[in-house]
Amino acid sequence: MLVAPHFLIGTAIAVYAPEAGPAALAAITSHFVLDSIPHRDTIGTTHINLGNIVMEIFDITITALIFWWIVPAHLRGYALLVGGAAILPDLLAIPSWFWPQLYRLPVINQLHSWHVDYLQDRNGSLNWFWGLLPQVLIILAVIWLIKF
Ligand SMILES: [Zn+2]
C-alpha cells in the first residue's frame, strides 16, 4: 500500500494508544493487515521509475498534510514515531536498493518473501480504481476517527 494509509493508521493508533510499546506493535501489525487487502501501489513492474517517484512524492505530501491537520499538536511527536513504526516494513526495503544481498540474510529473506510475495498481489491484475479504493477508504476512516 501507499504510505498514507499505513502511516495514518499508525497515527490513529498513536492517538488512541498512549503506551509506546503496544502502540508500536499494533502499528507494525497493522502494516501486514493492510498489505493483505488487495490494492495497487506501483506503476509498472518496479518501484524505481519516474512515475512511482512522482506518485510517492505526492503520497508523502498528502500524508504530511493530513497528519498535520488531524493530529493534535501535543501528540505529533509521538504520532510521528508510531506512524513510522507502521511503515517500518516498507522502510526495510530501502537498504536493499543499495545492497540487494540484504534479502539473502536469514529472517530478512523469509520476512521479505512473506511481505511482498505472499501478502501482496504483484501480478497487476487490479485496476487503479479498485486498487486505490480501499486505501482512500482507510484514509477517510482515519480522518473521521481522529478529527470528527
Ligand atoms: Zn508493505
Side-chain angles (χ1 to χ4, degrees):
M1 283 202 174
L2 295 167
V3 169
H6 283 310
F7 191 87
L8 293 172
I9 283 281
T11 296
I13 291 168
V15 168
Y16 289 100
E19 292 186 37
L25 190 61
I28 292 170
T29 303
S30 78
H31 186 98
F32 299 115
V33 172
L34 292 190
D35 269 352
S36 70
I37 298 169
H39 63 274
R40 185 162 182 188
D41 59 4
T42 306
I43 298 169
T45 55
T46 68
H47 278 285
I48 309 296
N49 62 43
L50 183 61
N52 284 320
I53 291 168
V54 170
M55 184 172 67
E56 276 312 315
I57 290 169
F58 181 75
D59 179 23
I60 291 167
T61 302
I62 289 291
T63 304
L65 291 173
I66 293 172
F67 177 85
W68 198 257
W69 177 49
I70 65 174
V71 178
H74 69 283
L75 283 176
R76 284 189 187 134
Y78 177 60
L80 198 63
L81 291 174
V82 178
I87 60 170
L88 194 59
D90 285 344
L91 293 180
L92 288 176
I94 293 173
S96 73
W97 298 345
F98 309 102
W99 190 54
Q101 293 84 359
L102 176 71
Y103 289 141
R104 292 190 187 152
L105 297 176
V107 181
I108 301 285
N109 177 296
Q110 286 81 6
L111 181 66
H112 176 68
S113 175
W114 181 66
H115 178 210
V116 173
D117 302 328
Y118 183 73
L119 277 184
Q120 302 189 64
D121 174 25
R122 287 278 174 208
N123 63 17
S125 61
L126 218 50
N127 67 39
W128 279 104
F129 176 79
W130 293 110
L132 282 177
L133 183 64
Q135 299 179 82
V136 170
L137 292 176
I138 290 164
I139 292 165
L140 293 175
V142 168
I143 291 171
W144 181 77
L145 270 173
I146 296 177
K147 195 68 182 170
F148 302 104

